[in-house]
Amino acid sequence: MSLLKNPATIVSGLFAAVAALFNIPFVDGIAFWLWGNINQLFLISSIGVTVSEQLPFPEKYAVQALVATGVILLAKLVLDAGNDLEESIEDS
């Protein structure tokens, strides 16, 4: 239940609802850019956790960004590995 009170969850949920309601065309572009650059975003968020004492926002936000980008990166790596496996099975 505390996940629903998280500001990042609220903002992303509202953004997704507005995007679905109005069918905003640039949302797809943003999503594809985020998906393509998740490696760099994970690196940036890990650096943010490392230097979080000097950042102007609480450390918990840096940790949440790291966890979110890590989960998305893991999903991307698993999907890529599954696609590679499927292609190698088709080739043999």
Side-chain angles (χ1 to χ4, degrees):
M1 191 66 168
S2 65
L3 180 63
L4 297 177
K5 296 178 184 177
N6 185 342
T9 304
I10 294 169
V11 170
S12 65
L14 289 174
F15 187 73
V18 169
L21 182 64
F22 295 110
N23 196 16
I24 301 172
F26 69 87
V27 172
D28 290 338
I30 292 171
F32 285 131
W33 182 85
L34 288 171
W35 184 256
N37 294 306
I38 194 65
N39 297 346
Q40 289 83 6
L41 295 172
F42 179 73
L43 175 65
I44 291 168
S45 62
S46 65
I47 291 171
V49 169
T50 304
V51 297
S52 62
E53 294 176 357
Q54 288 82 25
L55 294 177
F57 50 85
E59 182 181 0
K60 70 177 185 175
Y61 295 139
V63 171
Q64 289 172 351
L66 180 66
V67 169
T69 56
V71 167
I72 295 170
L73 178 60
L74 179 63
K76 182 178 180 184
L77 292 174
V78 167
L79 286 172
D80 289 346
N83 290 338
D84 291 344
L85 180 63
E86 185 177 307
E87 288 176 8
S88 67
I89 290 172
E90 288 176 0
D91 290 341
S92 61

